[in-house]
Amino acid sequence: MAHTETHEKTLADKILERTGVDVRECYQCGKCTAGCPMVQFMDLTPSQVMRLVQIGDREAVQTLLSSQTLWSCVGCLTCTQRCPKDLDPAAVMDALREIAYQEGLVPDAQRNVLKFHQAFLKTVEHTGRMSEVPLTALYKTLSRDFFSDVLLAPAMLLRGKLPLVPRVIGGRKEVRRIFKRCLDPERPDRADEETQEDRP
Amino acid sequence: MARVGVFICHCGENIGRTVDCAAVAKAAEAFPGVVKSVDYKYMCSDPGQQMIKDAIRDERLTGVVVGACSPRMHEPTFRRAAFEAGLNPYLLEMANLREHCSWVHEDRPVATEKAIDLMRVMVEKVKKNAELRPIRVPVEPTALVIGGGIAGIQAALDIAGGGKKVILVERSPSLGGHMARLSETFPTLDCSQCILTPRMVEAANHPNITLMTYSEVTKVDGFIGNFEVTVRQKARYVDPEKCTGCGACFEKCPAKKIPSEFDAALGNRTAIYRPFPQAVPNKPVIDAEHCIMLTKGKCGICAKVCPTGAIKYDDKDREVIVKVGAIVVATGFELWDHSAYGEYGAGRLEDVINGFQFERLASASGPTTGEIRRPSDGRIAESVVFIQCCGSRDPKRGVPYCSKICCMYTAKHAILYRHKVHHGRAVVFYMDVRAGGKGYDEFVRRAIETEGAEYIRGRVSRIYRRKDGRLVVKGADTLAGRPVEIVADMVVLADAIVPQPGASRLAQMLGVSYDEYGFYSEAHPKLRPVETAKAGVFLAGACQAPKDIPESVAQASAAAAKVLGLFSQPELEREPIVAKVNEVTCVHCRACIQACPYGAIEDKEIKDSKGNLIRTVACVNEGECQGCGTCVAVCRSGSIDLDGFTDEEVLAEIAALE
Amino acid sequence: MTTPIGYYPGCSLHGTGRELDQSIRALAEVAGVDLREIKDWNCCGATAAHSLNHDLAVALPYRTLALAEDQGLAEVLAPCAACFSRLKGTAVRLARDPKLAQKMTEITERPYRGTVRILSIIEFINRLLDAGLEAKLTHPLGGLKVAPYYGCLLARGEDIVDDDPEQPSGMERALVAAGCEVVPWNFAVECCGGGLSMSKTEAVLDLSDAILSDAEDAQADAIVTGCPMCHSNLDMRQRTINAAGRGPHDLPVVYLSEILGLAAGIEPERLGLDRHFVDAMRVAERMTERSA
């Protein structure tokens, strides 16, 4: 196993650091798998995810970070709520997803989930809020999935649920700076000169 | 002139690993008064004890200090050796070099230094020690057994068989406990009633056993050999002398819809009832809470139909005080309440039942006469899911421990079910199968390999009732790495084993310690498994930890052997560590009398030769004093001292540290 | 109630969840509660931030909490269950982890002392009932059978949701007060697929179909929810579910605030009941005027 070969932090340690969840406590009862609403869309069951983090060798890490499961987890917390060991598999999924994203290991089949999240964040980064039209447009461009849900648009418009003018907030530059610091903590701020004008 | 011997034990590596025992022995040689100082691998072993004995004789020792483990562990061993070599045992002291030193330190030089200090302290004390003689107290050769389940019955029968008297107290109206409710027993599928009921009858008829059913212990006073126990006998409203057990009363009782405790609420009973047909004693009681006569003042049908006039509506609870020399606690267990699991229906789904309920369904004497019919509509269950570890091994919402017996009884349930419903499907969800025991693993394999039970490794996350009334069970098969969904007619939850409600209250009455769940603590987990830390109180059965029938019976017999051993002598030797009042200086402020937690101090009148009262002083009853020292601390005139721990001895210890 | 309550509509309430916004505002007006929208609030980051960057997932709600505090709001209603969960979850984490709070202060350049309490739609409505809304429910819904749907975010999340996570009951008092009959059903806390609505539509159709089916099995006339994400999956996508060969369903999905609004006698259009994909105006037909 990797952690016996090197002095690097094991995956379990990284997860503990990020989430406070010590996966060594997992005794593989399977209750998380049993209750997961998305499990049929996963290649690894939640309990297998926990097990692979416990193993933590190179092969396990590879399997985990490139798995479909991370992108199928909807964060419903059913697993966390029912875990008899009071662990938080949902938080472990979040942490693994983030690591997979940072390391560029998102599987092709899950690109749409990633694209949607990216489109969502892009929209928020630029305007401070999410607006359906720019979000959908951006998502469709990124994912090249032009046709799904198109039929819903007219009906949404009709019901006043698809405002065409994007919502923009006064502090959008401030929001952009928050994004920069979170996404790119190493890089110094370039938006400093704008600070004065967009403080509300 | 003091001649002290010092003996340093390595305790294998326990002390030797951290403390340089040879260096301690060497250092002790130089202590004033020490004439012999040695170290040895295992001082408690026969050669070790022989070293002490030889030294006492050869060196004419006046005191011995053994540096070893806790005195709780081996003080009696070493004091016996001293006694055998002709030294008063209270001239031997122990210094705890293990728990107080080697186990709690890592740095060898520092630990060695501390060990030397500990030895110096005890050497100074032992030089001040006085010879003490054990106190002899009479033993009341009658035992009290609390709990009339299989463990209590066994303990009572064994003690009675050994020729001693037993008072057997049972809270419910009948002997039998949980075992009487079981259909068959694992791993032989013996009929539970067939093997239990003869024992119940034997206990009831034994000339040495006094049976007190429908009774509860409410107060415990005294100490080993001399307990005074108050037992509340609940009003039965039926005169057991007159009642013939004919049953006319409960056949006619109009209050019929009371959930039967015996049938785990799957069947009903009347307000005047006997719990089950084979009950011992086989005489009914009236449940005052549900009796129409006792609650509304009208009805009286049972009195009318009773041919012997045995019904007494004006019966009252009675308190009886019994004197006993030993107590066996056998209060058993209860099932954890699975209504804490909202995801399993929070106890509201009728067809989700517990293990006892399944036992009653499978029992020929049960509410369905042994047919596996689901509670909601009485239809034969065509598919049953059994779920192990319900509440067990669940530190979040249940209990963290393994309940030990569920793997086995679930396998039994699956087999019984398949015997009764040949075409039925029995699915068992398990986390691990723990089948350590004679014939146990074979039994589980039999369930899987020849009886057709489907075992699936994984917990269940959710149970709900579908529109058609069947239950959907969402589980996982972690071996296959996928979720499983089973549609079942009934689900049996193997609820965790927990102590009886009120277990901790009884423990406090008895002075017995208990763990965080309420299971009673044994005196030593390995070597004293049936004793408690309270002398004269012994444990039998599942009140100590989850246990199956053979284990409960074995422990009950072991407890009985301990009781018989205690009763084999008419008197008992007690440690002479008791408080003594200096009658000359006592000012009779009575502070000690107020403070004594055992009520062991009383007034004593000092009279002259003509019988005139000169003055009154405090006086300690040696039989009751527990040597706690509270009175010593509160005595303002410094008139009380504790033998074995006199002020002089303790001050000598402290002075040795400076 | 005189102290104003802060209002964080969140992004959906200006679009897909418009009727939730409308009904909340209308209800607050009837109850005489002064709802003050937080000035210049930003998106909570929703599942996207949470999925990709945990700093961002805290920083975005942090800014809003800091704004609310700065604007003197002690309590803030977040009617959208997802926003509620993110805002309250952030508040809880900040309270527990001073280092995280320090880091967020640096990232956002805004101080936050942790004084803001976040209310869910359920807590808010129960608060209105306490403050006298019950007496104003003059148009009870004549025994409308409803299946209260809590989904994930109004049931789960220790320290966030104050209810039994498996058998929640927070909506019941309000529904009974509004003259509804609450039907027992199995899927009150099952997940609808939530934020994967657009990217994993197939999964959402499956899960939402199961929820709708169970509510129908329980003979519910409507599902009641407090979450715009659940609402759009169950209401907007109901046709898609039918078109995919499931169902067919025809079950109105209404917000708790709409139900209460109707019972308070507010016109259905003002509550946004006409904006639903599955006809919800039939729910309004159950309004009966209580004889004085």
Side-chain angles (χ1 to χ4, degrees), chain B residues 616-634:
Chain B
T616 310
V617 293
C619 178
V620 177
N621 178 338
E622 285 193 341
E624 299 196 5
C625 173
Q626 299 295 307
C628 70
T630 307
C631 55
V632 181
V634 301

Side-chain angles (χ1 to χ4, degrees), chain B residues 330-582:
Chain B
T331 50
F333 71 99
E334 204 31 88
L335 289 183
W336 181 75
D337 181 0
H338 61 244
S339 59
Y341 272 9
E343 66 270 38
Y344 290 3
R348 280 180 235 142
L349 297 172
E350 272 183 289
D351 296 330
V352 177
I353 62 174
N354 68 21
F356 276 135
Q357 292 175 310
F358 188 83
E359 294 287 346
R360 297 314 299 149
L361 287 182
S363 171
S365 66
T368 57
T369 60
E371 293 184 331
I372 309 299
R373 297 184 175 278
R374 60 181 197 179
S376 61
D377 59 5
R379 279 188 23 214
I380 296 281
E382 309 281 337
S383 152
V384 180
V385 168
F386 298 89
I387 301 175
Q388 296 188 181
C389 294
C390 181
S392 299
R393 305 171 71 193
D394 177 348
K396 188 175 178 189
R397 284 181 297 157
V399 295
Y401 55 80
C402 162
S403 292
K404 196 174 185 181
I405 65 171
C406 329
C407 287
M408 292 309 299
Y409 79 62
T410 299
K412 178 190 76 179
H413 286 172
I415 292 173
L416 291 179
Y417 172 70
R418 292 275 301 156
H419 286 181
K420 285 167 184 287
V421 186
H422 299 296
H423 59 285
R425 187 173 179 205
V427 178
V428 177
F429 281 97
Y430 71 99
M431 282 170 65
D432 298 288
V433 171
R434 292 174 173 177
K438 194 170 175 181
Y440 284 13
D441 198 55
E442 297 91 315
F443 186 70
V444 175
R445 294 315 308 170
R446 171 182 162 192
I448 298 167
E449 291 166 16
T450 62
E451 304 283 2
E454 298 168 49
Y455 269 60
I456 301 176
R457 198 217 167 271
R459 263 195 201 256
V460 165
S461 175
R462 181 86 208 278
I463 304 168
Y464 63 89
R465 192 166 187 265
R466 231 166 48 170
K467 190 187 180 185
D468 65 359
R470 302 190 80 194
L471 298 166
V472 179
V473 180
K474 293 182 72 170
D477 184 331
T478 60
L479 299 179
R482 63 184 186 203
V484 238
E485 194 168 295
I486 311 268
V487 177
D489 289 318
M490 197 163 81
V491 173
V492 183
L493 301 176
D495 289 338
I497 304 292
V498 293
Q500 279 286 342
S504 50
R505 197 162 33 89
L506 181 64
Q508 287 161 12
M509 256 186 251
L510 290 162
V512 166
S513 51
Y514 51 96
D515 66 18
E516 57 190 301
Y517 316 105
F519 286 118
Y520 300 144
S521 305
E522 61 282 358
H524 188 281
K526 305 216 183 301
L527 299 179
R528 297 175 69 198
V530 302
E531 293 111 310
T532 64
K534 170 87 173 179
V537 179
F538 305 94
L539 302 176
C543 62
Q544 184 231 356
K547 284 194 182 66
D548 62 13
I549 294 168
E551 274 186 293
S552 297
V553 169
Q555 197 189 11
S557 290
K562 289 283 171 192
V563 171
L564 290 173
L566 173 65
F567 289 176
S568 64
Q569 304 288 328
E571 287 188 322
L572 185 71
E573 278 196 355
R574 300 197 35 211
E575 284 238 301
I577 310 298
V578 291
K580 289 256 166 61
V581 179
N582 181 342

